[in-house]
Amino acid sequence: EGNIHYWASSLMDFTYAFVDHGLEKADCVPPFIIPRLRFVYAAIAVPQSTFAHGSTARAGYLIEEYIGSEEGPEEFVKYVHNGKAVPLLDPPDPLYYLAEFLCFTQHVQFHKTGHQLYLSDYQGTLLSTHSASDLFGEGNVAIAVRSFQADHQCNYFCKWFGLEPLIS
């Protein structure tokens, strides 16, 4: 899980580098807001036990940032499922544009990695995810990579940034 989080955060940074480069080269400002999203902060904690023969690691824990407020946790939203690269929200939903943006990030990642991988299963108030690839960890949905071209529907983000439509 720690490796998946590291790679997911790196891929999102890579995607924003693509977005920022596109904005710098553009002749005009896009007619929409570019969401600036991030994954939860996380770290691996390894407690140590001290014995006569030295310190020994007994376990490892993935520690993630608490998401919520003093009143309680914020509403959890699942934007894109890990099995199919389409928004889970309906167009009337006020958060639908975030789901569309996240589908655009998948298109960028899929294109820029030579059709090898993209982030899937975008969820949360801050993002958490799994990669749709077996490159980073077990339990991911590699079949989603194979069906990405058929599933992905280009949206206004894809078009404005000049991504070619995917042909399956």
Side-chain angles (χ1 to χ4, degrees):
E1 287 294 319
N3 281 338
I4 291 170
H5 187 273
Y6 171 78
W7 285 108
S9 295
S10 296
L11 277 170
M12 188 58 94
D13 290 345
F14 175 72
T15 303
Y16 275 114
F18 173 87
V19 167
D20 292 341
H21 181 72
L23 292 172
E24 288 172 11
K25 288 179 27 179
D27 295 333
C28 61
V29 176
F32 45 77
I33 294 171
I34 306 287
R36 292 292 169 165
L37 307 171
R38 69 172 177 85
F39 288 97
V40 294
Y41 295 125
I44 303 290
V46 181
Q48 301 286 314
S49 297
T50 304
F51 297 99
H53 60 280
S55 296
T56 304
R58 293 289 180 193
Y61 300 94
L62 179 66
I63 300 172
E64 292 184 342
E65 155 185 24
Y66 174 74
I67 302 172
S69 64
E70 291 179 10
E71 293 82 38
E74 296 180 26
E75 182 182 345
F76 183 86
V77 178
K78 188 147 175 129
Y79 295 99
V80 182
H81 185 271
N82 62 354
K84 195 162 182 151
V86 296
L88 282 177
L89 304 175
D90 293 323
D93 191 303
L95 296 177
Y96 182 74
Y97 81 99
L98 287 176
E100 283 191 305
F101 178 76
L102 291 169
C103 289
F104 156 75
T105 68
Q106 292 177 321
H107 189 164
V108 171
Q109 295 155 6
F110 187 76
H111 172 71
K112 291 300 215 176
T113 63
H115 299 187
Q116 295 297 305
L117 59 101
Y118 64 92
L119 298 177
S120 66
D121 198 24
Y122 283 115
Q123 58 188 334
T125 52
L126 292 174
L127 298 177
S128 61
T129 191
H130 291 284
S131 166
S133 166
D134 288 330
L135 294 174
F136 304 139
E138 294 181 23
N140 298 312
V141 187
I143 194 166
V145 172
R146 292 190 292 275
S147 65
F148 184 82
Q149 288 179 267
D151 291 344
H152 176 75
Q153 300 165 5
C154 284
N155 58 45
Y156 54 95
F157 291 106
C158 300
K159 293 171 186 159
W160 197 88
F161 281 97
L163 291 172
E164 295 291 325
L166 299 168
I167 300 169
S168 55

